[in-house]
Amino acid sequence: MDYRGPYRVRATEKPHPVIEHPEDCIVRVTRSCICGSDLHLYHGLVPDTRVGSTFGHEFIGIVEEIGSEVQKLKVGDHVLVPFNISCGRCAFCKQELYGNCHESNPEATAVGGIFGYSHTAGGFNGGQAEYVRVPFADVGPTVIPPDMDPDDALLLTDVVPTAYQACEMGGIKKGDTVVIFGAGPIGIMAAKCAWLFGPSRVIVIDHIDYRLEFVRNYAPCEAYSFKEMDDVVEFVKKTTDWFGADVCIDAVGCEASGDGWQTLTGRKLLIQAGSATALHWAINSVKKGGIVSIVGVYGPTGNIIPIGNVVNKGITIRANQASVKRLLPRLIEHVQSGRLNPKGIITHRIPLEDVADGYRIFSEKMDNCIKTVLIPPSAKR
Amino acid sequence: MKNKIIDATKIIGWGVDADPENEPTYPIKKYTGDDHKRSQWTRPSLQPAKVEILKSTERPYLPAVFGTPYPPRALSGVFRRLAFTFSESMNRRWLLLILADRMDVVEGLISDVLHARFPNLVKERGLGVMLKHKPGMFARKVAIRLVILGLIGGIVYYNKRKNNL
Ligand SMILES: NC(=O)c1ccc[n+]([C@@H]2O[C@H](COP(=O)([O-])OP(=O)(O)OC[C@H]3O[C@@H](n4cnc5c(N)ncnc54)[C@H](O)[C@@H]3O)[C@@H](O)[C@H]2O)c1
Ligand SMILES: [Zn+2]
Ligand SMILES: [Zn+2]
């Protein structure tokens, strides 16, 4: 795929990627996904998104070529590739912060390298393509277990680890009430994963009815539309005996709707780094001493949030890009045992050539879309 | 006055309440103390920079790997280079980059035309699927654009007439 500007993408023939570092490999992509994070790029909200870029940080594929220092991975391996690019040996990787590697992004220290996620995340081309260059081949890429469905493997590159980490950072304890903002792929999967930590209630809030209906059955959980509420925070307080949720998860990020002022300043005028409506609600809906876990993505400048309430209520805020590699062993177990069924959220399969349609459908939440998979022409043969 | 180097271990009471079990970043982070060794790890081999790579002012050298597609070009490139003279903490860095991104779109169109490629804007913008699944939204978008075009056309026509009079 080829980014041409906000709301404009197309499929173009591009040069075959080459090995640029002895620890690189080249992967022939068999499937990739469009992610909610890609929408921030598609909408032109991520600084330093250069025209011509290939997006795509959720992909699996077959190793076609390896660099001279690659030892573990072999040509022909079918691998899932974590969305973060990590060296495995810097101070951050050593502490399993694989999403915060210090050796993969020259352009910004505020974020590690990510495939196909603008020059602000390292300037790497992504996996919504036929071939992709994958650095540190022995660190990130993981051979897909033979008994695993490739679609499940595909969702282990980002959606499941992000959702799981959102719950983990929330420090969910047995008996807790968890409120999740957003019923996109991440919020839906977070509702599913939350149960693994033993809460007594899982509540999802969004405004798109088909998504609320989906998560109600898939997780399963309670799901409510904020369109039908006068005041979201009051609703959460009321349903928790006027106490507040034990844990709130922001699975929406910088393109939240629901508050005209936030939308105007964050998404139209770009005075703040996106609209922080969901985060605002999360902070105000959590109990005193509660935990707010953020996986929704925000820009590098600043946002208007009620930080005073964070102080006065003694709230703990935890957030990060998911550390996919750290979580994979546990999550593979969950998938193999049937506790998680990631591929259940895939609703659309679109040929890579029609990538523009795929983006529009997901962006506009058309045709009951939850998760879209792109199939490159070379994978269909 | 110059700052003195302080040996923290000589301070009375230093570390008496340190509790290694109190590690609120766990499990996101498996604390090993490596943070305090700073940049002392054995670095991987370094990728040679064969194209222009813009580097954040908040790091001293390039990382071991980086992406090489789409180095800065044309006028947008001038703005990108300027943006990278400011730290990540400065809003103007990011606003300049957004500005450069918008210029890049125009440069992309020019480059398409120079390569005799006329972008299919209807397909690139996915307007076909929008017409199919959300005809109301499609109609609204078309109407807004027609109104804007109409207004511009009207102003141009009015100015022409005024000048001719
Ligand atoms: N931290 C990470 O590692 C990581 C990884 C993947 C995705 N993400 C981020 O997670 C977020 C969600 O991703 P997704 O793929 O589910 O995207 P998505 O766009 O499909 O889902 C977002 C959902 O939030 C809903 N929403 C909008 N405003 C809301 C509000 N005020 N309250 C509640 N819901 C609201 C939307 O209707 C939509 O259903 C994005 O910001 C994405 O960038 C983070
Ligand atoms: Zn993603
Ligand atoms: Zn690293």
Side-chain angles (χ1 to χ4, degrees):
Chain A
M1 73 88 80
D2 179 354
Y3 170 76
R4 305 309 303 171
Y7 295 92
R8 272 181 61 212
V9 296
R10 68 186 179 207
T12 327
E13 285 292 332
K14 289 188 175 181
H16 200 289
V18 292
I19 303 261
E20 299 187 47
H21 181 277
E23 292 180 52
D24 283 356
C25 71
I26 304 295
V27 167
R28 178 168 65 79
V29 178
T30 49
R31 283 171 176 73
S32 64
C33 278
I34 305 179
C35 173
S37 304
D38 292 329
L39 295 182
H40 312 321
L41 296 167
Y42 178 66
H43 297 155
L45 293 175
V46 181
D48 216 355
T49 305
R50 301 187 190 168
V51 167
S53 303
T54 306
F55 301 163
H57 55 270
E58 305 182 1
F59 60 94
I60 59 172
I62 292 168
V63 178
E64 286 270 313
E65 199 186 331
I66 52 173
S68 58
E69 287 177 22
V70 177
Q71 287 168 356
K72 287 188 256 163
L73 218 59
K74 292 185 300 297
V75 169
D77 281 346
H78 198 190
V79 290
L80 69 90
V81 182
F83 76 86
N84 354 77
I85 300 174
S86 38
C87 74
R89 63 212 95 162
C90 69
F92 305 104
C93 285
K94 265 195 215 155
Q95 304 185 85
E96 300 192 341
L97 294 170
Y98 297 109
N100 312 95
C101 178
H102 211 58
E103 289 284 15
S104 56
N105 180 6
E107 281 93 357
T109 53
V111 57
I114 300 176
F115 290 100
Y117 211 74
S118 86
H119 276 69
T120 293
F124 297 91
N125 267 338
Q128 291 165 9
E130 291 192 274
Y131 294 90
V132 59
R133 168 195 170 209
V134 175
F136 300 125
D138 279 335
V139 182
T142 302
V143 176
I144 300 172
D147 59 338
M148 182 175 279
D149 189 310
D151 285 340
D152 283 330
L154 179 56
L155 292 169
L156 285 175
T157 60
D158 177 349
V159 175
V160 185
T162 298
Y164 184 89
Q165 185 168 319
C167 298
E168 196 188 46
M169 292 189 299
I172 302 172
K173 290 181 196 59
K174 285 200 173 150
D176 274 358
T177 296
V178 182
V179 173
I180 298 167
F181 293 92
I186 302 294
I188 292 171
M189 197 57 72
K192 182 100 188 157
C193 291
W195 293 119
L196 299 169
F197 297 83
S200 63
R201 285 177 80 189
V202 176
I203 299 171
V204 173
I205 293 174
D206 199 303
H207 64 130
I208 297 177
D209 291 327
Y210 78 82
R211 291 189 163 193
L212 291 167
E213 192 52 40
F214 184 92
V215 70
R216 215 173 265 138
N217 298 317
Y218 177 83
C221 66
E222 299 168 55
Y224 302 95
S225 172
F226 66 76
K227 263 194 322 208
E228 288 156 22
M229 298 172 190
D230 294 332
D231 185 319
V232 177
V233 173
E234 217 175 88
F235 169 85
V236 175
K237 287 283 169 69
K238 189 167 177 197
T239 188
T240 54
D241 301 322
W242 302 100
F243 212 69
D246 300 289
V247 178
C248 283
I249 293 175
D250 172 358
V252 180
C254 60
E255 296 194 58
S257 39
D259 180 301
W261 174 245
Q262 285 275 0
T263 304
L264 177 71
T265 52
R267 288 166 57 188
K268 306 279 182 238
L269 304 176
L270 302 185
I271 297 172
Q272 49 166 335
S275 69
T277 308
L279 182 53
H280 182 120
W281 288 346
I283 290 170
N284 287 349
S285 311
V286 82
K287 70 179 177 192
K288 294 175 196 173
I291 301 178
V292 172
S293 163
I294 314 173
V295 285
V297 162
Y298 292 89
T301 51
N303 282 93
I304 303 169
I305 53 157
I307 198 73
N309 296 351
V310 174
V311 177
N312 295 334
K313 288 168 73 175
I315 295 169
T316 301
I317 294 186
R318 304 179 82 184
N320 206 345
Q321 293 287 339
S323 182
V324 178
K325 182 181 160 69
R326 171 174 72 80
L327 293 167
L328 275 179
R330 183 70 181 143
L331 294 176
I332 289 174
E333 263 176 49
H334 281 320
V335 173
Q336 285 175 331
S337 70
R339 287 187 285 267
L340 294 178
N341 158 31
K343 64 175 180 295
I345 65 167
I346 296 173
T347 50
H348 287 67
R349 275 170 209 281
I350 291 182
L352 183 59
E353 302 91 294
D354 296 333
V355 61
D357 293 348
Y359 267 86
R360 190 56 101 166
I361 290 173
F362 185 51
S363 163
E364 249 51 80
K365 325 277 185 252
M366 297 188 218
D367 198 25
N368 293 347
C369 179
I370 307 249
K371 192 73 181 172
T372 302
V373 174
L374 296 170
I375 316 276
S378 49
K380 272 178 283 186
R381 270 177 257 131
Chain B
M1 209 177 82
K2 256 189 95 197
N3 285 316
K4 281 180 285 186
I5 292 171
I6 296 168
D7 179 357
T9 57
K10 298 263 161 63
I11 289 173
I12 299 167
W14 178 79
V16 291
D17 288 344
D19 175 5
E21 296 294 303
N22 179 12
E23 179 36 60
T25 60
Y26 182 85
I28 321 173
K29 175 168 172 176
K30 195 171 133 208
Y31 181 74
T32 60
D34 272 288
D35 284 348
H36 303 139
K37 299 189 203 137
R38 298 291 168 88
S39 318
Q40 299 299 320
W41 60 87
T42 330
R43 298 193 69 200
S45 316
L46 305 182
Q47 178 182 339
K50 294 184 183 151
V51 296
E52 181 182 0
I53 303 293
L54 297 177
K55 182 181 71 60
S56 165
T57 59
E58 294 182 37
R59 57 179 307 140
Y61 44 70
L62 287 178
V65 302
F66 39 80
T68 50
Y70 321 107
R73 64 168 180 190
L75 191 59
S76 64
V78 174
F79 279 80
R80 290 194 205 285
R81 287 183 202 105
L82 177 63
F84 271 80
T85 61
F86 303 111
S87 86
E88 293 163 52
S89 184
M90 304 290 239
N91 280 352
R92 73 190 87 146
R93 173 199 216 254
W94 303 104
L95 293 175
L96 279 168
L97 285 173
I98 292 266
L99 185 68
D101 290 348
R102 299 298 179 264
M103 291 175 177
D104 204 1
V105 174
V106 179
E107 290 165 10
L109 281 170
I110 296 172
S111 137
D112 268 351
V113 172
L114 290 182
H115 290 91
R117 165 162 197 164
F118 292 90
N120 180 345
L121 293 181
V122 172
K123 179 146 176 54
E124 285 181 6
R125 299 177 64 90
L127 295 180
V129 282
M130 193 193 255
L131 181 61
K132 184 168 155 214
H133 294 293
K134 283 207 173 168
M137 176 183 255
F138 180 83
R140 205 170 63 232
K141 285 214 187 285
V142 172
I144 291 173
R145 279 177 183 63
L146 284 180
V147 168
I148 294 174
L149 275 181
L151 278 176
I152 296 174
I155 292 168
V156 171
Y157 178 73
Y158 176 80
N159 281 342
K160 258 212 179 124
R161 258 189 52 176
K162 213 169 69 180
N163 290 344
N164 288 346
L165 286 176

